[in-house]
Coordinates of all heavy atoms in Angstrom, one line a residue:
M1 N 102.8 142.8 103.7 CA 103.5 142.1 104.8 C 103.1 140.6 104.8 O 102.0 140.3 104.8 CB 103.0 142.8 106.1 CG 103.6 142.1 107.3 SD 103.0 143.0 108.8 CE 104.4 142.8 109.8
P2 N 104.1 139.7 104.6 CA 103.8 138.3 104.5 C 103.3 137.7 105.8 O 103.7 138.1 106.9 CB 105.1 137.7 104.1 CG 106.2 138.7 104.5 CD 105.5 140.0 104.5
Q3 N 102.4 136.7 105.7 CA 101.9 136.1 106.9 C 102.9 135.1 107.4 O 103.7 134.5 106.6 CB 100.6 135.3 106.6 CG 99.5 136.2 106.2 CD 98.2 135.3 105.9 OE1 98.3 134.2 105.6 NE2 97.1 135.9 106.0
S4 N 102.9 134.8 108.6 CA 103.8 133.8 109.2 C 103.3 132.4 108.7 O 102.1 132.3 108.4 CB 103.9 133.8 110.7 OG 102.7 133.4 111.2
S5 N 104.1 131.4 108.7 CA 103.7 130.1 108.3 C 102.7 129.5 109.3 O 101.8 128.7 108.9 CB 104.9 129.1 108.3 OG 105.5 129.0 109.6
R6 N 102.7 129.9 110.5 CA 101.7 129.5 111.5 C 100.3 130.1 111.1 O 99.3 129.4 111.2 CB 102.0 130.0 112.9 CG 101.0 129.6 113.9 CD 101.4 130.0 115.3 NE 102.0 128.8 115.8 CZ 102.6 128.7 117.0 NH1 102.7 129.7 117.8 NH2 103.0 127.5 117.4
A7 N 100.2 131.3 110.6 CA 98.9 131.9 110.3 C 98.3 131.3 109.0 O 97.1 131.3 108.8 CB 99.1 133.4 110.1
R8 N 99.2 130.7 108.1 CA 98.7 130.1 106.9 C 98.3 128.7 107.0 O 97.6 128.1 106.1 CB 99.8 130.2 105.8 CG 99.8 131.5 105.2 CD 100.8 131.5 104.0 NE 102.1 132.1 104.6 CZ 103.3 131.8 104.3 NH1 103.5 130.8 103.5 NH2 104.3 132.4 104.8
R9 N 98.6 128.0 108.1 CA 98.3 126.6 108.2 C 96.8 126.4 108.4 O 96.1 127.2 108.9 CB 98.9 126.0 109.5 CG 100.4 125.7 109.3 CD 100.8 124.9 110.5 NE 102.2 125.2 110.7 CZ 102.9 125.2 111.9 NH1 102.2 125.0 113.0 NH2 104.1 125.5 111.9
K10 N 96.4 125.3 107.8 CA 95.0 124.9 108.0 C 94.7 124.5 109.4 O 95.6 123.8 110.0 CB 94.7 123.6 107.1 CG 93.3 123.1 107.2 CD 93.2 121.9 106.3 CE 92.0 121.1 106.6 NZ 91.9 119.8 106.0
P11 N 93.7 124.9 110.1 CA 93.4 124.6 111.5 C 93.3 123.1 111.6 O 92.8 122.4 110.8 CB 92.1 125.3 111.8 CG 91.9 126.3 110.7 CD 92.6 125.8 109.5
A12 N 93.8 122.6 112.7 CA 93.7 121.1 113.0 C 92.3 120.8 113.2 O 91.4 121.6 113.5 CB 94.5 120.8 114.3
A13 N 92.0 119.5 113.1 CA 90.6 119.0 113.2 C 90.0 119.4 114.6 O 88.8 119.7 114.7 CB 90.5 117.5 113.0
S14 N 90.8 119.4 115.6 CA 90.4 119.8 116.9 C 90.0 121.3 117.1 O 89.3 121.6 118.0 CB 91.4 119.5 118.0 OG 92.6 120.2 117.8
Q15 N 90.4 122.1 116.1 CA 90.1 123.5 116.2 C 88.9 123.9 115.2 O 88.5 125.0 115.3 CB 91.3 124.3 115.8 CG 92.5 124.2 116.7 CD 93.7 124.8 116.2 OE1 93.9 125.0 115.0 NE2 94.6 125.2 117.1
Q16 N 88.5 122.9 114.4 CA 87.4 123.2 113.5 C 86.1 122.7 114.1 O 86.1 121.7 114.8 CB 87.7 122.5 112.2 CG 88.8 123.0 111.4 CD 89.1 122.2 110.1 OE1 88.5 121.2 109.9 NE2 90.0 122.7 109.3
Q17 N 85.0 123.3 113.8 CA 83.7 122.9 114.3 C 83.2 121.8 113.4 O 83.1 121.9 112.2 CB 82.7 124.1 114.3 CG 81.4 123.7 114.8 CD 81.4 123.2 116.2 OE1 82.2 123.7 117.1 NE2 80.6 122.3 116.6
G18 N 82.9 120.6 114.0 CA 82.4 119.5 113.2 C 80.9 119.4 113.5 O 80.3 120.2 114.1
T19 N 80.3 118.3 113.1 CA 78.9 118.0 113.3 C 78.7 117.0 114.4 O 79.5 116.1 114.6 CB 78.3 117.5 112.0 OG1 78.9 116.3 111.6 CG2 78.3 118.6 110.9
I20 N 77.6 117.2 115.1 CA 77.2 116.2 116.1 C 76.4 115.2 115.5 O 75.3 115.5 114.9 CB 76.5 116.9 117.3 CG1 77.3 118.1 117.8 CG2 76.1 115.9 118.4 CD1 76.6 119.0 118.7
P21 N 76.8 113.9 115.5 CA 75.9 112.9 114.9 C 74.7 112.6 115.7 O 74.6 112.8 116.9 CB 76.8 111.6 114.9 CG 77.8 111.9 116.0 CD 78.0 113.3 116.1
A22 N 73.6 112.3 115.0 CA 72.4 111.9 115.7 C 72.6 110.6 116.5 O 73.5 109.8 116.2 CB 71.2 111.7 114.7
P23 N 71.8 110.4 117.6 CA 71.9 109.2 118.4 C 71.8 108.0 117.5 O 70.9 107.9 116.6 CB 70.8 109.3 119.4 CG 70.6 110.7 119.5 CD 70.8 111.3 118.2
G24 N 72.7 107.1 117.6 CA 72.8 105.9 116.7 C 73.6 106.0 115.5 O 73.9 105.0 114.8
E25 N 74.0 107.2 115.1 CA 74.9 107.4 114.0 C 76.3 107.3 114.4 O 76.7 107.4 115.6 CB 74.6 108.7 113.3 CG 73.3 108.8 112.6 CD 73.0 110.1 111.8 OE1 74.0 110.9 111.8 OE2 71.9 110.2 111.3
L26 N 77.2 107.2 113.4 CA 78.7 107.0 113.7 C 79.4 108.3 113.6 O 79.1 109.2 112.8 CB 79.3 106.0 112.7 CG 78.7 104.6 112.7 CD1 79.3 103.7 111.7 CD2 78.8 104.0 114.1
L27 N 80.4 108.4 114.4 CA 81.4 109.6 114.4 C 82.3 109.4 113.2 O 82.7 108.2 112.9 CB 82.1 109.7 115.7 CG 81.4 110.2 116.9 CD1 82.2 109.9 118.1 CD2 81.1 111.7 116.7
D28 N 82.7 110.4 112.5 CA 83.7 110.4 111.5 C 85.0 110.9 112.0 O 85.2 112.1 112.1 CB 83.3 111.1 110.3 CG 84.3 111.1 109.1 OD1 85.4 110.6 109.3 OD2 83.9 111.5 108.0
W29 N 85.9 110.0 112.5 CA 87.2 110.4 113.1 C 88.3 109.9 112.2 O 89.1 109.1 112.6 CB 87.3 109.9 114.5 CG 86.5 110.7 115.5 CD1 85.8 111.8 115.3 CD2 86.4 110.4 116.9 NE1 85.2 112.2 116.4 CE2 85.6 111.4 117.5 CE3 87.0 109.4 117.7 CZ2 85.3 111.4 118.8 CZ3 86.7 109.5 119.0 CH2 85.9 110.4 119.6
R30 N 88.4 110.3 110.9 CA 89.5 109.8 110.0 C 90.8 110.6 110.2 O 91.8 110.1 109.8 CB 89.0 109.9 108.6 CG 87.8 109.1 108.3 CD 87.4 109.2 106.9 NE 86.0 108.8 106.8 CZ 85.3 108.8 105.7 NH1 85.9 109.1 104.6 NH2 84.0 108.4 105.7
D31 N 90.7 111.8 110.7 CA 91.9 112.7 110.8 C 92.9 112.1 111.7 O 92.5 111.5 112.8 CB 91.5 114.1 111.2 CG 92.6 115.1 111.1 OD1 92.8 115.6 110.0 OD2 93.3 115.3 112.1
S32 N 94.2 112.2 111.4 CA 95.2 111.7 112.2 C 95.3 112.3 113.6 O 95.9 111.8 114.5 CB 96.6 111.8 111.5 OG 96.9 113.1 111.3
S33 N 94.7 113.5 113.8 CA 94.8 114.2 115.1 C 94.0 113.4 116.2 O 94.2 113.6 117.3 CB 94.2 115.6 115.0 OG 92.8 115.5 114.7
H34 N 93.3 112.4 115.8 CA 92.5 111.6 116.8 C 93.4 110.4 117.3 O 92.9 109.7 118.2 CB 91.3 111.0 116.1 CG 90.2 112.0 115.8 ND1 89.5 112.7 116.7 CD2 89.9 112.5 114.5 CE1 88.7 113.5 116.1 NE2 88.9 113.4 114.8
F35 N 94.6 110.3 116.8 CA 95.4 109.2 117.3 C 96.7 109.7 118.0 O 97.5 110.5 117.4 CB 95.9 108.3 116.1 CG 94.7 107.7 115.4 CD1 94.1 108.3 114.3 CD2 94.2 106.5 115.9 CE1 93.0 107.7 113.7 CE2 93.1 105.9 115.3 CZ 92.5 106.5 114.2
R36 N 96.8 109.4 119.3 CA 98.0 109.9 120.1 C 98.5 108.7 120.9 O 98.2 107.6 120.7 CB 97.6 111.0 120.9 CG 97.1 112.2 120.0 CD 97.0 113.5 120.9 NE 96.3 114.5 120.1 CZ 95.4 115.3 120.5 NH1 95.1 115.3 121.8 NH2 94.9 116.2 119.7
W37 N 99.2 109.0 122.0 CA 99.7 108.0 122.9 C 98.5 107.4 123.7 O 97.4 107.9 123.7 CB 100.6 108.7 123.9 CG 99.9 109.7 124.7 CD1 99.4 109.5 126.0 CD2 99.7 111.1 124.4 NE1 98.8 110.7 126.4 CE2 99.0 111.7 125.5 CE3 100.0 111.9 123.3 CZ2 98.6 113.0 125.5 CZ3 99.6 113.2 123.3 CH2 98.9 113.7 124.4
V38 N 98.7 106.2 124.2 CA 97.7 105.4 124.9 C 97.4 106.1 126.2 O 98.3 106.4 127.0 CB 98.1 104.0 125.1 CG1 97.1 103.2 125.9 CG2 98.2 103.3 123.7
A39 N 96.1 106.3 126.5 CA 95.7 106.8 127.8 C 94.3 106.1 128.2 O 93.7 105.5 127.3 CB 95.5 108.3 127.8
A40 N 93.9 106.3 129.4 CA 92.6 105.7 129.8 C 91.4 106.4 129.2 O 91.4 107.7 129.2 CB 92.5 105.7 131.3
C41 N 90.5 105.7 128.6 CA 89.2 106.3 128.1 C 88.5 106.9 129.3 O 88.4 106.4 130.3 CB 88.4 105.1 127.5 SG 86.8 105.7 126.9
T42 N 88.0 108.1 129.0 CA 87.3 108.9 130.1 C 85.9 108.2 130.4 O 85.4 108.5 131.5 CB 87.1 110.3 129.7 OG1 86.4 110.4 128.5 CG2 88.4 111.1 129.5
L43 N 85.4 107.4 129.5 CA 84.1 106.8 129.8 C 84.2 105.3 130.3 O 83.4 105.0 131.2 CB 83.3 106.8 128.5 CG 83.0 108.2 127.9 CD1 82.3 108.1 126.6 CD2 82.2 109.0 128.9
C44 N 85.1 104.5 129.8 CA 85.2 103.1 130.3 C 86.5 102.8 131.1 O 86.6 101.7 131.6 CB 85.1 102.1 129.1 SG 86.5 102.0 128.1
Q45 N 87.5 103.7 131.1 CA 88.7 103.6 131.8 C 89.7 102.5 131.2 O 90.7 102.3 131.8 CB 88.5 103.2 133.3 CG 87.6 104.2 134.0 CD 88.1 105.7 133.8 OE1 89.3 106.0 134.0 NE2 87.2 106.6 133.5
K46 N 89.4 101.9 130.0 CA 90.3 101.0 129.4 C 91.2 101.8 128.5 O 90.9 102.9 128.0 CB 89.5 100.0 128.6 CG 88.7 99.1 129.4 CD 88.0 98.0 128.7 CE 87.1 97.2 129.6 NZ 86.3 96.2 128.8
P47 N 92.4 101.3 128.2 CA 93.4 102.0 127.3 C 92.9 102.3 125.9 O 92.3 101.4 125.3 CB 94.6 101.1 127.3 CG 94.4 100.1 128.4 CD 93.0 100.0 128.6
T48 N 93.2 103.5 125.4 CA 92.9 103.8 124.0 C 93.9 104.9 123.5 O 94.3 105.8 124.2 CB 91.4 104.4 123.9 OG1 91.2 104.7 122.5 CG2 91.2 105.6 124.7
P49 N 94.2 104.8 122.2 CA 95.1 105.8 121.6 C 94.2 106.9 121.0 O 94.7 107.9 120.4 CB 95.8 105.0 120.5 CG 94.9 104.0 120.1 CD 94.1 103.6 121.4
L50 N 92.9 106.8 121.0 CA 92.0 107.7 120.4 C 91.7 109.0 121.2 O 91.7 108.9 122.5 CB 90.7 107.1 120.0 CG 90.7 106.1 118.9 CD1 89.3 105.4 118.8 CD2 91.1 106.7 117.6
R51 N 91.5 110.1 120.5 CA 91.2 111.4 121.2 C 90.0 112.0 120.5 O 89.8 111.9 119.3 CB 92.3 112.4 121.2 CG 93.6 111.9 121.9 CD 93.3 111.8 123.4 NE 94.5 111.4 124.1 CZ 95.0 110.2 124.2 NH1 94.4 109.2 123.7 NH2 96.1 109.9 124.9
S52 N 89.1 112.7 121.2 CA 88.0 113.4 120.7 C 88.6 114.7 120.0 O 89.8 115.0 120.1 CB 87.0 113.8 121.7 OG 87.6 114.8 122.6
N53 N 87.8 115.5 119.4 CA 88.2 116.7 118.8 C 88.7 117.7 119.8 O 89.6 118.5 119.5 CB 87.1 117.4 118.0 CG 86.7 116.6 116.7 OD1 86.4 115.4 116.8 ND2 86.8 117.2 115.6
A54 N 88.3 117.5 121.0 CA 88.7 118.4 122.1 C 90.0 117.8 122.8 O 90.4 118.4 123.8 CB 87.6 118.6 123.1
G55 N 90.5 116.7 122.4 CA 91.6 116.1 123.0 C 91.4 115.1 124.1 O 92.3 114.6 124.8
E56 N 90.1 114.8 124.4 CA 89.7 113.9 125.5 C 90.0 112.5 125.0 O 89.5 112.1 124.0 CB 88.2 114.1 125.7 CG 87.7 113.4 126.9 CD 86.2 113.8 127.2 OE1 85.6 114.6 126.4 OE2 85.7 113.3 128.2
S57 N 90.7 111.7 125.8 CA 90.9 110.3 125.5 C 89.6 109.5 125.6 O 89.0 109.5 126.7 CB 92.0 109.7 126.3 OG 91.7 109.7 127.7
V58 N 89.2 108.9 124.5 CA 87.9 108.2 124.5 C 87.9 107.2 123.3 O 88.4 107.6 122.2 CB 86.7 109.1 124.5 CG1 86.7 110.0 123.2 CG2 85.4 108.4 124.7
H59 N 87.3 106.0 123.5 CA 87.1 105.1 122.4 C 86.0 105.7 121.5 O 85.0 106.3 122.0 CB 86.6 103.8 122.9 CG 87.7 103.0 123.6 ND1 87.6 102.9 125.0 CD2 88.8 102.3 123.2 CE1 88.7 102.1 125.3 NE2 89.4 101.8 124.3
K60 N 86.1 105.5 120.2 CA 85.0 106.0 119.3 C 83.7 105.4 119.6 O 82.7 106.0 119.7 CB 85.4 105.7 117.9 CG 84.5 106.3 116.8 CD 85.1 106.1 115.4 CE 84.1 106.3 114.4 NZ 83.1 105.3 114.2
T61 N 83.7 104.1 119.9 CA 82.5 103.4 120.3 C 81.9 103.9 121.6 O 80.7 104.0 121.8 CB 82.7 101.9 120.3 OG1 83.7 101.6 121.2 CG2 83.0 101.3 118.9
C62 N 82.7 104.2 122.5 CA 82.3 104.7 123.8 C 81.6 106.1 123.6 O 80.6 106.4 124.2 CB 83.4 104.9 124.8 SG 84.0 103.3 125.4
A63 N 82.2 106.9 122.8 CA 81.7 108.3 122.5 C 80.3 108.1 121.8 O 79.4 108.9 122.1 CB 82.6 109.1 121.6
E64 N 80.2 107.2 120.8 CA 79.0 107.0 120.1 C 77.9 106.5 121.0 O 76.7 106.9 121.0 CB 79.2 106.0 118.9 CG 80.0 106.6 117.8 CD 80.6 105.6 116.9 OE1 80.6 104.4 117.1 OE2 81.2 106.1 115.9
A65 N 78.2 105.6 122.0 CA 77.3 105.1 122.9 C 76.8 106.2 123.9 O 75.7 106.3 124.3 CB 77.9 103.9 123.7
W66 N 77.8 107.1 124.3 CA 77.5 108.2 125.1 C 76.5 109.2 124.4 O 75.6 109.7 125.1 CB 78.7 109.0 125.5 CG 78.5 110.1 126.5 CD1 78.5 110.0 127.9 CD2 78.2 111.4 126.2 NE1 78.2 111.2 128.4 CE2 78.0 112.1 127.4 CE3 78.1 112.1 125.0 CZ2 77.7 113.5 127.5 CZ3 77.8 113.5 125.1 CH2 77.6 114.1 126.3
I67 N 76.7 109.4 123.2 CA 75.8 110.3 122.4 C 74.4 109.7 122.4 O 73.4 110.5 122.6 CB 76.3 110.5 121.0 CG1 77.6 111.4 121.0 CG2 75.3 111.2 120.1 CD1 78.3 111.4 119.7
S68 N 74.3 108.4 122.2 CA 73.0 107.8 122.2 C 72.3 107.8 123.5 O 71.1 108.0 123.6 CB 73.1 106.3 121.7 OG 73.5 106.3 120.4
A69 N 73.1 107.7 124.6 CA 72.5 107.7 125.9 C 72.3 109.1 126.5 O 71.5 109.2 127.4 CB 73.5 106.9 126.9
N70 N 72.9 110.1 125.9 CA 72.8 111.4 126.4 C 72.5 112.4 125.3 O 73.3 113.3 125.0 CB 74.1 111.9 127.1 CG 74.4 110.9 128.3 OD1 73.9 111.0 129.3 ND2 75.4 110.0 128.0
P71 N 71.4 112.3 124.6 CA 71.2 113.1 123.4 C 71.1 114.6 123.7 O 71.5 115.4 122.9 CB 69.9 112.6 122.8 CG 69.2 111.8 123.9 CD 70.3 111.4 124.8
T72 N 70.6 115.0 124.9 CA 70.5 116.4 125.2 C 71.9 117.0 125.4 O 72.2 118.0 124.9 CB 69.6 116.6 126.5 OG1 68.3 116.0 126.2 CG2 69.4 118.1 126.8
E73 N 72.7 116.3 126.2 CA 74.0 116.8 126.5 C 74.9 116.7 125.3 O 75.9 117.5 125.1 CB 74.7 116.0 127.6 CG 74.1 116.2 129.0 CD 72.9 115.2 129.3 OE1 72.5 114.5 128.3 OE2 72.4 115.2 130.4
A74 N 74.6 115.8 124.4 CA 75.4 115.7 123.1 C 75.4 116.9 122.3 O 76.3 117.2 121.5 CB 74.9 114.5 122.3
R75 N 74.3 117.7 122.4 CA 74.2 119.0 121.7 C 75.2 120.0 122.1 O 75.4 121.0 121.4 CB 72.8 119.5 121.8 CG 71.8 118.6 121.0 CD 70.4 119.2 121.0 NE 69.9 119.1 122.4 CZ 68.8 119.6 122.8 NH1 68.0 120.3 122.0 NH2 68.4 119.5 124.1
L76 N 75.9 119.8 123.2 CA 76.9 120.7 123.7 C 78.2 120.5 123.1 O 79.2 121.1 123.5 CB 77.0 120.6 125.3 CG 75.7 120.9 126.0 CD1 76.0 120.6 127.5 CD2 75.3 122.3 125.8
S77 N 78.3 119.5 122.1 CA 79.5 119.3 121.3 C 80.6 118.6 122.1 O 81.8 118.9 121.8 CB 80.0 120.6 120.6 OG 79.0 121.1 119.8
R78 N 80.3 117.7 123.0 CA 81.4 117.0 123.6 C 82.2 116.1 122.6 O 83.4 116.1 122.6 CB 80.9 116.2 124.8 CG 82.0 115.4 125.5 CD 81.4 114.7 126.7 NE 82.5 114.1 127.5 CZ 82.4 113.2 128.5 NH1 81.1 112.9 128.9 NH2 83.4 112.7 129.1
F79 N 81.4 115.4 121.8 CA 82.0 114.6 120.8 C 81.4 115.0 119.4 O 80.2 115.0 119.3 CB 81.7 113.1 121.1 CG 82.2 112.6 122.4 CD1 81.3 112.2 123.4 CD2 83.5 112.7 122.8 CE1 81.7 111.7 124.6 CE2 84.0 112.3 124.0 CZ 83.1 111.8 124.9
V80 N 82.2 115.3 118.5 CA 81.8 115.7 117.2 C 82.5 115.0 116.1 O 83.7 114.5 116.3 CB 81.9 117.3 116.9 CG1 81.0 118.0 117.9 CG2 83.3 117.7 117.0
S81 N 81.9 114.9 114.9 CA 82.6 114.3 113.7 C 83.5 115.4 113.1 O 83.3 116.6 113.3 CB 81.6 113.9 112.7 OG 80.9 112.7 113.1
D82 N 84.5 114.9 112.4 CA 85.4 115.9 111.7 C 84.6 116.6 110.6 O 83.7 116.1 110.0 CB 86.5 115.1 111.0 CG 87.5 114.5 112.0 OD1 87.5 114.9 113.2 OD2 88.2 113.6 111.6
P83 N 84.9 117.9 110.4 CA 84.3 118.6 109.3 C 84.6 118.0 108.0 O 85.7 117.5 107.8 CB 84.9 120.0 109.4 CG 85.7 120.1 110.6 CD 85.9 118.7 111.1
Q84 N 83.6 117.9 107.1 CA 83.8 117.3 105.8 C 84.2 118.4 104.8 O 83.6 119.5 104.8 CB 82.5 116.6 105.4 CG 82.0 115.5 106.3 CD 83.1 114.4 106.4 OE1 83.5 113.9 105.4 NE2 83.5 114.1 107.7
P85 N 85.1 118.0 103.9 CA 85.5 119.0 102.9 C 84.3 119.3 102.0 O 83.5 118.4 101.7 CB 86.7 118.3 102.2 CG 86.5 116.9 102.4 CD 85.8 116.8 103.8
K86 N 84.3 120.5 101.5 CA 83.2 120.9 100.6 C 83.5 120.2 99.2 O 84.6 120.2 98.7 CB 83.1 122.4 100.4 CG 82.8 123.1 101.8 CD 82.3 124.5 101.5 CE 82.2 125.1 102.9 NZ 81.0 125.4 103.4
R87 N 82.4 119.7 98.6 CA 82.5 119.1 97.3 C 82.4 120.1 96.2 O 81.7 121.1 96.3 CB 81.5 118.0 97.1 CG 81.6 116.8 98.0 CD 80.6 115.8 97.7 NE 80.8 115.5 96.3 CZ 80.4 114.3 95.8 NH1 80.0 113.4 96.6 NH2 80.6 114.1 94.5
R88 N 83.2 119.9 95.2 CA 83.1 120.8 94.0 C 82.0 120.4 93.2 O 81.6 119.2 93.1 CB 84.4 120.7 93.2 CG 85.6 121.3 94.0 CD 86.9 121.2 93.3 NE 86.8 120.7 91.9 CZ 87.9 120.3 91.2 NH1 89.0 120.3 91.8 NH2 87.8 119.8 90.0
N89 N 81.3 121.4 92.5 CA 80.2 121.1 91.6 C 80.5 120.2 90.4 O 79.7 119.5 89.9 CB 79.5 122.4 91.2 CG 78.8 123.1 92.3 OD1 78.5 122.5 93.3 ND2 78.6 124.4 92.1
D90 N 81.8 120.3 89.9 CA 82.2 119.6 88.8 C 82.7 118.2 89.1 O 83.3 117.5 88.3 CB 83.2 120.3 87.9 CG 84.5 120.6 88.7 OD1 84.5 120.4 89.9 OD2 85.4 121.0 88.0
D91 N 82.5 117.7 90.4 CA 83.0 116.5 90.8 C 81.9 115.4 90.8 O 82.0 114.5 91.7 CB 83.6 116.7 92.2 CG 84.5 115.5 92.7 OD1 85.0 114.8 91.8 OD2 84.6 115.3 93.9
D92 N 81.0 115.5 89.9 CA 79.9 114.5 89.9 C 80.0 113.5 88.7 O 79.1 113.2 88.0 CB 78.6 115.2 89.8 CG 78.4 116.1 88.6 OD1 79.4 116.3 87.9 OD2 77.3 116.6 88.4
H93 N 81.2 113.0 88.5 CA 81.4 112.0 87.5 C 81.1 110.6 88.0 O 81.1 110.3 89.1 CB 82.8 112.1 86.9 CG 83.9 111.9 88.0 ND1 84.2 112.8 88.9 CD2 84.6 110.8 88.2 CE1 85.1 112.3 89.7 NE2 85.4 111.1 89.3
A94 N 80.9 109.7 87.0 CA 80.6 108.3 87.4 C 81.8 107.5 87.7 O 82.9 107.7 87.4 CB 79.9 107.6 86.2

């Protein structure tokens, strides 16, 4: 029985589990799913087109500052980096 095209799609970045950066480290939000329409940042209330992995409108710098200021709460995965693709073993060329 063939799978539907929906079942074969790679999950969006917002559906994949990423890593929580340590306080002072940067978030990796390269995926296009982080860019949408302009809305108010949930932390500073200024306009931003950025979204967290959970869809929350927030500036990347605001999220990084929040992680540094709230390291205990940051472990609850409010803001996470995008999952990194696994590297192949034969990809170690100069």
Side-chain angles (χ1 to χ4, degrees):
M1 179 176 209
Q3 292 181 341
S4 71
S5 61
R6 177 175 264 178
R8 278 186 259 143
R9 279 191 211 150
K10 178 182 165 188
S14 62
Q15 296 172 336
Q16 295 176 349
Q17 182 60 35
T19 57
I20 303 165
E25 290 185 4
L26 302 177
L27 288 163
D28 181 351
W29 283 358
R30 297 179 203 182
D31 190 82
S32 64
S33 66
H34 293 288
F35 299 93
R36 297 190 192 144
W37 62 94
V38 175
C41 174
T42 58
L43 299 175
C44 75
Q45 305 307 314
K46 294 180 181 175
T48 181
L50 289 173
R51 298 296 183 276
S52 70
N53 290 56
E56 187 175 3
S57 61
V58 63
H59 293 104
K60 184 174 169 282
T61 54
C62 289
E64 292 161 349
W66 184 87
I67 290 168
S68 293
N70 302 282
T72 304
E73 292 88 354
R75 291 183 291 176
L76 300 175
S77 303
R78 181 176 185 186
F79 304 118
V80 298
S81 288
D82 292 339
Q84 299 302 307
K86 299 198 189 253
R87 293 185 57 152
R88 295 180 1 197
N89 290 339
D90 63 347
D91 194 25
D92 60 349
H93 59 284

